[in-house]
Amino acid sequence: MIALSHLQKLEAEAIFILREVAATCDNPVLLYSIGKDSAVLLHLAMKAFSPGKPPFPLLHVDTTWKFREMIAFRDETARRLGLELIVHINQDGVKAGINPVTSGSRIHTDVMKTQGLKQALDKYGFDAAFGGARRDEEKSRAKERVFSLRSADHRWDPKNQRPEPWSLFNTAKKQGESFRVFPLSNWTERDVWDYIALESIPVVPLYFAAPRPVLRRGDALIMRDDERLPLLPGEVVETRMVRFRTLGCYPLTGAIESDATNLTDIIAEMRASQSSERQGRIIDHDGTGSMEQKKQEGYF
Amino acid sequence: MTALNVRQRASETALPGDGPANDDGLHARSLLRFITCGSVDDGKSTLIGRILFETGAVFDDQLGALQRDSRKFGTQGTKVDYALLVDGLSAEREQGITIDVAYRYFSTPQRAFIVADTPGHEQYTRNMATGASTADLAVILIDARLGLLTQTLRHSFIVSLVGVRHVVVAVNKMDLVGYDRAVFDRICADYRRASANLGFTQISFIPISARDGDNVTSPSDAMEWYRGEPLLAHLETVSIEAGPDLHQGTVLPVQWVNRPDSGFRGYSGNLALGHLRTGDEVAVLPSGKTSRVERILTPAGDTSHAAVGQALTVTLTDKIDISRGDLIVSAAPRPNLRRSLRARLLWTGETPLALGDRYGLKLASGQVNAVVTTLHHSVDVTTFAEIAATSLATNDIGAVTLDLDKAIGTLPFAASTELGGFILIDRISHETVAFGFVDEDAPLPATTNSGPAGAFGAVLAALRRRIGPAGSLTRSELAGLLCGNMLASLIPAGLVYGLTGSLSWALLVVAADLLLRPLVLGGAWAGARRLWRRRQSRNQLASENVLGDGI
């Protein structure tokens, strides 16, 4: 008898979840945020429906402030795999001039990401959206079910989640309700990197260390990806060997100084690290319970 | 001692975990899922928090937040409150209790672990059962000062009910009873006695102090009388091999029909039982049609041999109609097809069980409608006694009989979680109102009101089992064939009776006619059936990935 390794078990569980949604929901979509977790999720979706293609499109909610390399990688990935890619931008937010520099991280994220996502889900009538979120990322995520039911206005009710025994997912929902589905719920950051290495999954080059133009703002090293980020008095752009542990809007994503230019180095660096991957995310630190608050409002 | 000092101490002695600071390279590890349960203030969250911390699964920025939160919400005075690492919802932090299951992750060079930290409160039993359902092992905490509580018994019962067979009893707060061995021994004896009928295959007892770390990741200096392993070492090495398979067959529930083009027709699902090889003879339930395995596709590509748990897509050598909810099983033995189930229910719904109401029943990938016809009794979860009941409210457990509108293939829960565990879904609120556990594997019982009885009933039931559920293709074909034959046989039989006056001769003619006619008609019949099937399969293509009247 062959015993499955821990990664094989996680892989089988994720594929099961992907197929379950495809079979029971009318109009699923894969939230493709371009990062490493999305890369793994997409890779698993390709496997789940092989030799066919995943029976759902990819959706990217573009805040217009992503790293340029992310956008290039996104388009190339959709082309390489021959998948439909929907890009949605909250035009109301663009018209209102919302941006992470002057509007602040909280408003920018709410308008361009959370509201943008709701707009896109409503516009296309998606009733299930896959996300690459993992329970080890953040404490309120640790409490979320694999199938997370959202009301017609996309709210999450953490105190009234459906029990979810074994691998029996209750996929019934009322008109207007939808699911956020997390096939990578039980993966850790390390599992994601180990799997990327094992399966040679392409990821955005920003994860690997390279000389990049950065400035120091507070505790964070911010990469100046284009001219829209104004320099504050005394700030200078200098070239440093840096990489990113997570990817988001470039003015809100801190780089780390690193010489890890390949997967082996990244995995070794991660294991030696004393800080969590979300440390570089500025939006998580708005206060205790802030992620839970955002999720209740409809953030992924 | 502050958390950071503990970290420094831990770093100097090398962390037992392989989080930060331990680099063991990429290699295959096994996975252990466990659940911790106990009463309020037993120290569950503290225990998990400490394990996470000492295996290096807590990072410095999280530790900083923990120290801030400990001052704000902590219940440990000036000490770091590890419970705050796991109580993730605002309401939980404010009330200092665990409401919902929190899943946490850590690993050591030996194993990767998924911990379900579950609430102790009775009102959150369904959340506890959710966490327990995927666990290989349960850590049951008992406060050394208080001994066994009704909560302890309830948790043990639920854990046993959802299928956990390995238990660790962690007697916590040993520091508060002077590390007294007699206290520990008494609790062990009490627990052994209380859990004797719960079907656990292994129970280990460990005296700990979660707050101070005794026997959690390292042996306790204060309890030298305890010669066993600390908790973490036990979890790293404990064997969770399942017992001997109660059902020897293979079962692949069809989750998704994969038809990218006319040249490929695969059936996807995770192998629930047994193993599968190319060339194996298989049957499809409920239709009973047989074929052979042509190809097996796994996430790693084609294989000739698949193991239990793997996510597969298989193709068969024959083109037969298979849709989501069907089971691809070994030719023998096969799960029984059943229209009626004896089962236990753990009621999770807000509204109580209503006898006679229809619920959606989801088992493996199949979904049918079910009516609870009889509530035999409920179970007192602290004395395990059967008590008379007329309904089940939230968190109640009862034994019931369910009638199904279609036959499904099942096994007893004890033989297979996948083929014996189900959920009931309210058809209006869509709430998951119950977890179900198929109890026995008797053949189809005669239905209570309209069903045939006696030997004739048994023959019909056996026939029904052979030929599939009402409305199925095979069943209508066969029924038509039999009726037609019987009527046709009466003509020559009547003739013989008229001529000879002998009833036995006439019966002989009927029997011979019934036996021989199918042989003669067989060829013509097979042709007609092929045509019929072709039409039927066209109709079915559109609907095969849709659940039967889905709710």
Side-chain angles (χ1 to χ4, degrees), chain A residues 150-167:
Chain A
R150 304 301 169 98
S151 63
D153 55 354
H154 300 282
R155 290 186 72 89
W156 179 53
D157 181 2
K159 285 187 203 163
N160 194 25
Q161 301 194 77
R162 284 180 181 169
E164 202 166 72
W166 308 297
S167 52

Side-chain angles (χ1 to χ4, degrees), chain A residues 119-134:
Chain A
Q119 283 174 354
L121 296 178
D122 291 343
K123 179 178 172 187
Y124 297 97
F126 294 124
D127 64 343
F130 293 110
R134 311 186 319 266

Side-chain angles (χ1 to χ4, degrees), chain B residues 92-142:
Chain B
E92 296 178 319
R93 299 159 85 80
E94 284 153 13
Q95 296 170 39
I97 57 163
T98 306
I99 293 173
D100 212 334
V101 198
Y103 295 92
R104 308 297 303 194
Y105 305 82
F106 67 94
S107 56
T108 71
Q110 283 73 38
R111 261 187 181 157
F113 296 91
I114 301 178
V115 195
D117 183 23
T118 60
H121 269 274
E122 185 165 10
Q123 74 180 108
Y124 306 122
T125 293
R126 63 181 201 176
N127 295 339
M128 189 209 140
T130 291
S133 70
T134 52
D136 304 306
L137 175 148
V139 176
I140 293 178
L141 269 96
I142 296 179

Side-chain angles (χ1 to χ4, degrees), chain B residues 301-346:
Chain B
D302 267 68
T303 182
S304 59
H305 183 197
V308 69
Q310 276 190 295
L312 308 177
T313 298
V314 302
T315 66
L316 304 180
T317 51
D318 302 278
K319 205 173 169 188
I320 47 182
D321 295 329
I322 302 177
S323 33
R324 173 176 165 85
D326 289 351
L327 304 176
I328 296 176
V329 302
S330 43
R334 306 177 188 181
N336 279 337
L337 273 180
R338 310 214 276 155
R339 289 286 302 270
S340 174
L341 299 175
R342 265 298 291 257
R344 278 161 301 155
L345 297 180
L346 165 59

Side-chain angles (χ1 to χ4, degrees), chain A residues 4-23 30 37-49 54 56 130-135 146-147 166-167 169 181-188 191-192 195 201, chain B residues 31 33 114 255-256 268-270 299 309-312:
Chain A
L4 301 189
S5 77
H6 134 260
L7 275 182
Q8 285 171 319
K9 280 189 184 172
L10 292 176
E11 181 186 57
E13 177 184 80
I15 288 174
F16 180 88
I17 295 163
L18 284 155
R19 288 171 176 165
E20 196 69 5
V21 170
L30 189 149
D37 304 303
S38 281
V40 167
L41 187 58
L42 184 54
H43 186 77
L44 290 163
M46 296 300 290
K47 280 178 181 275
F49 303 100
F56 41 76
F130 293 110
R134 311 186 319 266
R135 285 176 177 149
V146 173
F147 277 66
W166 308 297
S167 52
F169 300 106
V181 185
F182 305 105
L184 305 185
S185 285
N186 287 321
W187 296 54
T188 64
D191 296 330
V192 165
Y195 191 70
I201 302 171
Chain B
L31 176 67
R33 290 179 183 236
I114 301 178
Q255 198 191 0
W256 169 258
S268 304
N270 288 16
Q310 276 190 295
L312 308 177

